[in-house]
Amino acid sequence: LRPLGMLDHPIVIISDGQDLSVAERLLNDPEIAPMLRLVPNRAKWIGGDITLAIMSTTFIGNPASTFSGFIAKSRLALGLANTFMFRARNENGEWDNTCEEQCIFSKSIMRSNA
C-alpha cells in the first residue's frame, strides 16, 4: 500500500469470516492497524461488501477466493486500476506482481474459478 500512497487512507477489511488470521495480522501491524476499518456485523450485506470492494480505490484479493475473483473481474471489466490478486515478495522483500490482472480470466491459472 505504501508505494500507492494508500497508507494515508482508510483500509476496509471485507471477509467471509472463514480465515480471520489475515485480519488479525493486519490489526497487529503498527503501520496498518490505525487505518483499518471493519464493517460492523449489523451492517454487513454481501451486496454492500461487493459494491464497496468493486468501487474501492485499491483492491487486494485472494486468488483462491471466488468472492475476490468476482470482484477482480468486475473491476477489470469496468477499467478500474489497482486490483491486486497475484502478489508475492521478491528476494529483496518487496512486493511484485506474479501475474497480470488478466490472469483472473485464465483457465490454466484459475482453473474452475476462471
Side-chain angles (χ1 to χ4, degrees), residues 9-89:
H9 301 280
I11 301 166
V12 180
I13 297 177
I14 298 170
S15 171
D16 59 9
Q18 290 182 5
D19 182 3
L20 298 177
S21 64
V22 173
E24 289 170 5
R25 283 197 318 262
L26 292 171
L27 286 166
N28 289 322
D29 184 290
E31 188 173 26
I32 293 175
M35 301 310 295
L36 284 180
R37 307 294 182 265
L38 300 173
V39 177
N41 283 336
R42 68 181 184 281
K44 285 187 81 56
W45 171 60
I46 192 166
D49 288 355
I50 289 171
T51 302
L52 179 62
I54 290 172
M55 299 312 295
S56 65
T57 304
T58 301
F59 176 72
I60 301 170
N62 176 351
S65 164
T66 56
F67 189 71
S68 289
F70 176 79
I71 293 165
K73 289 174 186 174
S74 299
R75 289 177 56 84
L76 189 59
L78 292 169
L80 300 174
N82 295 326
T83 300
F84 302 102
M85 290 281 287
F86 307 97
R87 305 278 286 170
R89 287 189 190 262

Side-chain angles (χ1 to χ4, degrees), residues 1-14:
L1 295 173
R2 186 179 302 110
L4 299 170
M6 297 309 299
L7 286 176
D8 297 329
H9 301 280
I11 301 166
V12 180
I13 297 177
I14 298 170

